[in-house]
Amino acid sequence: MLKQNDLLARALRERFREAGVFVVSIVSSPGSGKTTLLEKTLAQFRSECRVAALVGDLATDNDAARLARTEVPVKQITTGTVCHLEAAMVEQALDGWNLAELDWLFIENVGNLVCPSSYDLGEDLRMTLMSVTEGEDKPIKYPTIFNTADAAVISKIDLAPAVEFDAKTAYQNIQSVRPGMKVFEVSAKSGQGMNEWMQYLRRMKEDARC
Ligand SMILES: Nc1nc2c(ncn2[C@@H]2O[C@H](COP(=O)(O)OP(=O)(O)O)[C@@H](O)[C@H]2O)c(=O)[nH]1
Ligand SMILES: [Mg+2]
């Protein structure tokens, strides 16, 4: 099953590359701020670049409706009882979209710190979010999700004082499971850290225009 997913993900990655679309996936526990960060990210990109998003949940198309307000193409993937997205689901959701007309594709995975880690979706960049309200120990309790990501975002940084977030411990924990991992502190509410986050994305795509 996993091997089949890997083969499909490899084919997807090749398709994305040929079409010139840069694919970013986001994983985290439910409620850590994936959709909110994506709403802000899509809104910033859409004036200059061609962006689209896929969003996975077990049920409802609430998140797709939220993201669609940014007026970019969005599709919801409902997984039923499955706690992660698979390459086959992504491939199916892309049906009818011309990838060559896109610069960026964002994929919000199902909220879960365990299942998504072992499923390659063909993305170029995988981000793990961890909000300040979840506790500093999540990287060491769920190391695989951090190990399989390219960079981490500490989200809801505006709430750090209210929950007495211990940034030093959080960084130590991230670095202990993934030495050298790049970490961003972001608040999608206040906008703090959004510039650094957007700059990082653009740098990773290596395409100055978009
Ligand atoms: N204070 C604060 N709340 C946030 C931030 N980002 C998201 N939230 C809130 O956290 C809750 C869950 O956010 P959502 O984006 O739906 O998380 P998701 O389940 O990971 O997609 C919502 O009530 C958001 O308004 C943030 O940067 N700061
Ligand atoms: Mg969401």
Side-chain angles (χ1 to χ4, degrees), residues 52-71:
L54 302 176
V55 52
D57 277 301
L58 269 62
T60 83
D61 57 6
N62 291 355
D63 279 5
R66 283 170 63 190
L67 295 175
R69 289 203 297 261
T70 61
E71 294 177 354

Side-chain angles (χ1 to χ4, degrees), residues 6 13 28 37 46 48 50 52 54 57 68 72-73 85 90 92 104 112 123 139 145 159 167 169-170 178 186 201:
D6 284 341
R13 186 166 286 114
S28 78
L37 180 63
R46 69 172 284 264
E48 323 138 51
R50 301 167 301 175
L54 302 176
D57 277 301
V72 311
L85 290 180
V90 170
Q92 201 187 347
W104 294 86
N112 193 297
E123 67 271 71
I145 204 87
L159 297 179
T169 303
R178 186 79 197 263
V186 175
L201 291 178

Side-chain angles (χ1 to χ4, degrees), residues 116-189:
S117 56
S118 36
Y119 289 85
D120 185 359
L121 303 178
E123 67 271 71
D124 297 292
L125 198 64
R126 181 176 289 205
M127 307 295 302
T128 294
L129 248 71
M130 153 190 175
S131 64
V132 294
T133 58
E134 288 166 55
E136 299 81 2
D137 60 355
K138 294 305 166 290
I140 50 175
K141 283 187 173 170
Y142 302 93
T144 318
I145 204 87
F146 285 83
N147 260 317
T148 51
D150 298 291
V153 172
I154 299 178
S155 60
K156 309 192 189 180
I157 202 72
D158 57 295
L159 297 179
V163 295
E164 295 179 354
F165 179 67
D166 179 354
K168 189 161 170 253
T169 303
Y171 275 83
Q172 274 170 359
N173 288 341
I174 292 171
Q175 298 305 326
S176 74
V177 298
R178 186 79 197 263
M181 189 176 212
K182 197 149 182 55
V183 182
F184 297 90
E185 294 183 12
V186 175
S187 167
K189 291 271 175 195

